[in-house]
Amino acid sequence: MKYLHTAVLIFLFLASRGQVFDNKNIQLVVKKGADHIYNSNKDSAFFYAKKVERLLPDHPVVPLMRAIALLWSNIPIITPELFTEMERQLDSTILLAKKTDPDLEDPEMIFFTMSAHGLLAEYYADQDQTMKAVGEASRAYGLLKKGFDLVDEYPEFLFSTGLYNYFIEMYPQKHPIYKPLLWFFRKGDRELGLQQLETAAEQSLITKVEAYVYLSYIYLRYEYKPEKAQAYLLGLCKMYPRNFYAKAKYLESLANPQDFRDAPIHMIYSMIRHENSYYKLAGYIFLAYFEEVIIKNQEKAEYAYRKGLKYGAEIPNHGEFFKGFGYLGLGRVLYQKSKKEETEEMLHLALKYSETKQITKEAKELLSKL
């Protein structure tokens, strides 16, 4: 998940503790809205945001719900036009929170504001706007420091604290450009961060979903332990069957010859039928892998690899894992056909887009045989 998202359900936990959320009916409406957000149902999510707005006029939870609904209904491709609307909602979140609590001392308002700054930072990082990303991250960090002292009173702060402890250590390793810009941030602890996130996934009620999302991302992209990501992603797929992002990542976690024997084919075809080029890319690449490795039909595999990569060409800077995985698979198929020049071309493209050590290793090994 190149573009991360800030916790959408944290505010539900705070809702149960904040003075304005003492009403059980309001809590229920917000939770229903959050379920629709994760199930990628923007219209229903906006419907519940409107209901909350009638109950709580001028409260920051409303624009935050709308911003994250926009994110989840379009993830992972956030166009500049879409971001403009998200930015408007996030700015409104910050303004309303500060209007309610100018000094930002209330835990509820701390999290609303921190979440908005965090989403802005993640978008700018995804767009390689480094200084803007660091600026928003520093604003979020100022609020996060307050959360460090609230873990005992508010156990669900373990989630945000765990994220910080892990990523402040690991993100600069993967993106060295940020190293000299983060010197003023408090040091983290990779192992403690993982432990805190896993505790949140096991014990929390409200931040459980976000803990699942981030842990699966960490085990796929940072720790390279896809087998640990599988359980979290399968859980998300069962809870939110319309969440295609979770489906794509679940199939990715299965992408080895042994585990892919049990790959849910219905997920693959549902992504092929999706109107979004990102999911068509993923669907065709996984169909190709299934044909190549499990069915052993090289012709169908080659066709599906090429079809998927054609969709991938429509979305520059997105779906890099699927592109790298697809070019590697196509390289294997062409190698079996003794098409040396095209094999070499595909393998170099696999290295260009590779996001895992395994893809890099296999592509280099096959190149050495040419």
Side-chain angles (χ1 to χ4, degrees):
M1 182 167 28
K2 185 178 177 184
Y3 179 76
L4 295 178
H5 52 281
T6 304
V8 61
L9 291 186
I10 288 177
F11 61 77
L12 296 180
F13 157 72
L14 295 168
S16 67
R17 305 292 290 266
Q19 292 181 348
V20 296
F21 279 95
D22 289 335
N23 190 306
K24 296 290 185 181
N25 291 329
I26 295 175
Q27 293 179 37
L28 182 61
V29 172
V30 176
K31 288 179 180 179
K32 284 183 177 179
D35 283 338
H36 285 291
I37 288 173
Y38 275 119
N39 220 19
S40 302
N41 192 333
K42 184 187 71 173
D43 291 342
S44 294
F46 269 54
F47 170 79
Y48 282 101
K50 189 66 177 177
K51 290 187 71 171
V52 175
E53 187 174 34
R54 287 197 294 268
L55 296 167
L56 298 170
D58 298 323
H59 196 280
V61 68
V62 176
L64 183 61
M65 287 179 69
R66 287 174 176 152
I68 301 177
L70 288 168
L71 170 61
W72 267 106
S73 61
N74 292 277
I75 197 169
I77 301 176
I78 308 302
T79 64
E81 295 76 17
L82 177 63
F83 176 69
T84 297
E85 176 58 23
M86 284 181 57
E87 185 178 39
R88 188 174 73 84
Q89 298 293 345
L90 293 171
D91 286 344
S92 180
T93 300
I94 295 167
L95 288 172
L96 290 174
K98 289 182 176 179
K99 180 180 178 181
T100 302
D101 179 21
D103 295 325
L104 293 179
E105 297 294 337
D106 180 79
E108 183 179 326
M109 295 305 151
I110 289 173
F111 252 111
F112 285 128
T113 311
M114 182 177 67
S115 296
H117 284 305
L119 273 168
L120 291 167
E122 289 162 2
Y123 174 82
Y124 290 132
D126 185 55
Q127 299 299 312
D128 296 322
Q129 297 183 43
T130 306
M131 296 310 298
K132 284 188 175 182
V134 172
E136 292 295 340
S138 65
R139 295 181 186 97
Y141 175 64
L143 297 167
L144 181 60
K145 287 192 296 185
K146 297 182 180 182
F148 292 151
D149 299 326
L150 295 170
V151 171
D152 291 337
E153 184 180 358
Y154 296 88
E156 304 255 353
F157 270 82
L158 275 172
F159 173 74
S160 58
T161 304
L163 280 183
Y164 178 85
N165 277 328
Y166 185 84
F167 280 107
I168 198 64
E169 293 297 312
M170 301 303 293
Y171 192 82
Q173 292 185 28
K174 198 164 187 175
H175 305 277
I177 191 174
Y178 284 93
K179 280 187 178 180
L181 303 174
L182 300 177
W183 62 269
F184 60 89
F185 286 80
R186 187 175 101 170
K187 281 184 63 64
D189 185 320
R190 169 181 164 272
E191 291 186 4
L192 176 61
L194 270 178
Q195 178 186 330
Q196 289 169 327
L197 288 170
E198 288 176 346
T199 299
E202 292 171 3
Q203 298 180 7
S204 66
L205 296 176
I206 303 305
T207 58
K208 181 184 292 290
V209 174
E210 286 293 334
Y212 273 41
V213 170
Y214 277 96
L215 282 167
S216 63
Y217 174 68
I218 286 169
Y219 285 124
L220 285 175
R221 288 289 183 270
Y222 284 82
E223 299 295 316
Y224 303 110
K225 296 179 180 178
E227 70 284 355
K228 298 200 73 170
Q230 287 173 15
Y232 295 119
L233 290 164
L234 181 58
L236 289 172
C237 289
K238 289 180 176 178
M239 286 187 285
Y240 304 106
R242 290 187 53 183
N243 190 318
F244 281 83
Y245 196 78
K247 290 181 183 181
K249 294 305 175 185
Y250 176 58
L251 288 165
E252 178 185 336
S253 75
L254 297 173
N256 65 76
Q258 184 62 38
D259 290 346
F260 220 72
R261 293 183 184 279
D262 300 320
I265 301 302
H266 67 280
M267 283 190 185
I268 293 175
Y269 282 109
S270 71
M271 286 192 291
I272 287 174
R273 291 190 297 269
H274 201 285
E275 68 275 7
N276 189 310
S277 293
Y278 178 90
Y279 297 115
K280 286 184 178 293
L281 160 66
Y284 275 111
I285 293 303
F286 287 130
L287 177 62
Y289 185 69
F290 189 77
E291 292 287 354
E292 178 201 359
V293 176
I294 308 302
I295 305 300
K296 309 294 185 183
N297 188 323
Q298 302 301 301
E299 294 301 321
K300 286 187 176 181
E302 181 179 351
Y303 171 81
Y305 276 130
R306 292 188 186 278
K307 185 83 169 178
L309 291 167
K310 183 178 178 180
Y311 281 110
E314 299 176 0
I315 48 172
N317 301 318
H318 290 285
E320 289 354 36
F321 170 81
F322 306 122
K323 294 174 187 176
F325 191 70
Y327 282 119
L328 175 60
L330 184 55
R332 286 193 303 265
V333 172
L334 294 170
Y335 178 77
Q336 295 299 321
K337 292 186 172 186
S338 300
K339 295 184 177 182
K340 181 178 178 180
E341 288 188 8
E342 195 176 6
T343 298
E344 185 175 359
E345 179 186 356
M346 295 303 107
L347 293 176
H348 280 298
L349 286 169
L351 289 173
K352 175 183 176 180
Y353 290 106
S354 175
E355 289 203 339
T356 68
K357 294 178 181 178
Q358 185 58 38
I359 292 176
T360 299
K361 178 183 177 183
E362 189 175 342
K364 288 182 176 179
E365 288 177 351
L366 197 52
L367 277 170
S368 69
K369 296 178 182 179
L370 296 177

